[in-house]
Amino acid sequence: MKRIFAVISFVALTLSLATAQRLPELARPDNYKLTFTPDLDKATFEGDETISLHLLKPGSEITLNAVDIDFHEVTITAGGIPQKAKVTPEKEKEMVVLSVEKPLAAGAATVHITYSGILNSEMRGLYLGKDDQGRKYAASQFEATDARRAYPSFDEPDYKATFDITAVADKGLVAISNQKIISDTAGPGDKHTVHFATTVKMSSYLAALVVGNFEYIEGAADGIPIRVYSTPGKKEMGKFALESAEYILTYYDKYFGIKYPYGKLDLIGIPDFSAGAMENTGCITFREVILLIDEKQGSVNLKKEIASVIAHEMAHQWFGDLVTMKWWDDIWLNEGFATWMETKPVAQWKPEWNYKLDEVSDTAQTLNTDSLANTRPIHQAAETPAQIQELFDGIAYGKAASVLRMLESYLGEETFRAGVNAYLQAHQYANATADNFWEAQAKTSHKPVDKIMPTWVQQPGAPMINVKAQCSGNTTNVMLTQKRYYIDREKFDAPNDQLWQIPICLKGSASGDGAKCELMTKREESFTLPGCSTWVLANARATGYYHAGYQPGAVRALASDAETKLTPAERIVSESDVWASVRVGHEPVGDYLAFAQGLQADRNRAVVDNVLGHLNYIGKYLVNDGDKEEYRAWLRQYLAPAMKDVGWEPKPGESDEQKTMRTRMIGTLGYQAHDPQALAEAKKVADQALADPASVDHELAGGAFRLAAMNGDSEFYDKLMAALKNPKSPEEYYIYFYALAAFGDPKLLQRTLDFAVSPDVRSQDALSLIVGVMRNPAGEKMAWDFIQSHWDAVAKAGGPFASAEIVGATSAFCDAGMRDQVTSFFSAHKIEAAERTYKQSIERINNCVDLKSQQEPQLASWLGQHGTAGGN
Ligand SMILES: [Zn+2]
């Protein structure tokens, strides 16, 4: 599965008190024959199911998972003797026990079930959605534990079976599933019956069915037909996705050493979709906006996301689908692997987009979450559906991916790939554990992977490596110490005995381009580098999952050499390392700003992105009211040379990186620096885009609308609302949509909040609009009040697991009063499975309050010396 938007946004929430447990080991399925007859008007479906299974021991019971299933008739046949079965629900376990009078012998049996189910509106199981024209469709989303809402099943990942799926659909509706269609015949009545070919052996959560009005474009790669489906009128916007999928499939066939095993590949854009995308075998489903894009006008950022999400889901076709984790506690290996893998094919396809630098930024982001006391180890036990759902978080995706990247760098790309191949070969069409993966990697590499990995997987957090370098003759002695890094400075300064085995790479000012790579296994270790270096970088090559802390003198020396002696990736890690030292009070914020000044001439999009992220943070949280103007002036001055180089308007033939960098810089100038020229340019672009949407590319338009909204009036607001009704692409829709959260006028923001919970907004989008208002300084408190007073509506939006997004968004507050409100509200409105997210939010607020008290005066004095008024 692919989460959407914020790292913290896809943590679970449960409103039920489900405490499902494991199925008893009584039987294992071999094949499911499933016929679904959806009734879109009544929002129900009829199911006819035959499970071929083998009983592991004699007995008179079979237990299956089932939720919201109305059983009509159940017959169990063993030894040629059919018996009607009694159905006893065990609701709290999400199971049913099927029992017969005469005992069943061990061995082959079949269970035939006729039943009805609900096409729910919660975007899970088999659910009902509506496209832009109001046409209804049914779609499935089974991961993690919702297949049981569509068919009674052994709904645990290691009960793999083959599937023969049939859909009985209304005339004119298309049916899509995991396999190719083998027959499509008229009847019964005015319906038609679509039989799909037998699938490979796979887990219950990977079955899929979509029935509705869809059309497609088609291509192929390596002998596999590939289709991109959309609701009517949008298929041409699938071209970029198709081209991506073709490239990626060819790449993966080579990389994995096993050809794509499902015969065909469909990618389907679905208007109502709770996650970002889902890797059902041969039938990947997506939110429309992450699949369909106007190729000419579409933004580079969205194209990058579409390509990498497709690469993510396609990586799962091997890693996750072909070889599946035995139990959900290893879901991190699936998600971490797919997240790590998703940039590989696309970085080769589009080198100009610098995906590899985005990975470095992602690692820095993940380290930020992992530096909280309330983080979790990668490996975590989970039993109930809520606990399982909660595992799909930034640690499972981001941290696991970063750790794999570090491991690949340590072993070498080809050695690591050989380990991946060996693991897939050994466990294809079956299940495996993370230990099986380490064993394969240790065996192929002859390196202590099985010793290194547990230190990253079993314990929470990440270390900071403190670097002390001293020159002696023509050698630099480097003393390294490791200690768990916490943003909470008291915790960081307290004793801590966690220990990691860390693949490190060192590089000094005098050691040229070569890096020295070692495995650090002790708390304190010394290494030497040739030459006499003024600084030594502890994360050369930028693939390490740790922070590095430097002596103040070394930071200054590093800053002045950054542009000439560090790669862009190394500049990104050093910059975030200096920030990490500021956060724990080991360096004043002025040292960070001095480092940023050292990068002022940097024209690398990814580096600029990271610096601006921190400058925006400082502007939002650390500048006191009296210094706001001074800081804004400093920012304008800081960005002036870069703006001069990049220009306000797109130039013919410029790179995609230049385009995204411009938008980012104008954004900071407008938002943080309140720069009159940036705001005027944005208004100009927004007006032009409203008058003629085809005339402005979405890269520029997205940023421009949000800035134009800051000072926008009700007339501008009404224009956005009107434009929202007739967008030419999903991206265009979201440009208008999110601009509604960026207004400065409280009356207009109130309209946005009311609109978010109205029937005009898709359930999956409601919360991100509210969170948008919450992130807007002008709407922060208003959004929070709205959430509290409209909690019933808010908690219902976005599907059963979404309102944790709201819990996560409260982490944007930075004062004790708001923290106390958050605490008292969520104490009264407990969200069982967002407990960790809640604790993290409170911790983030506390950290921010502490940082403010600690650095605000330092910042004021730095601005006094270095601001525009103070000369320099
Ligand atoms: Zn995934």
Side-chain angles (χ1 to χ4, degrees), residues 1-2 312 316 335:
M1 211 158 28
K2 183 72 184 179
H312 177 106
H316 277 313
E335 293 306 348

Side-chain angles (χ1 to χ4, degrees), residues 1-3 143 277-279 309 312-313 316 319 331 334-339 342 392 397:
M1 211 158 28
K2 183 72 184 179
R3 294 164 307 124
E143 193 180 21
M278 175 63 210
E279 69 266 23
V309 172
H312 177 106
E313 305 307 333
H316 277 313
F319 213 105
I331 186 63
N334 269 15
E335 293 306 348
F337 187 92
T339 303
E342 70 188 33
F392 290 81
Y397 287 77

Side-chain angles (χ1 to χ4, degrees), residues 709 711-718 740 743-754 782:
N711 299 316
D713 55 14
S714 62
E715 193 192 335
F716 183 63
Y717 191 96
D718 291 339
L740 296 177
F743 279 80
D745 181 343
K747 276 203 248 36
L748 298 173
L749 286 177
Q750 189 59 52
R751 277 177 71 184
T752 301
L753 292 168
D754 294 334
M782 186 190 289

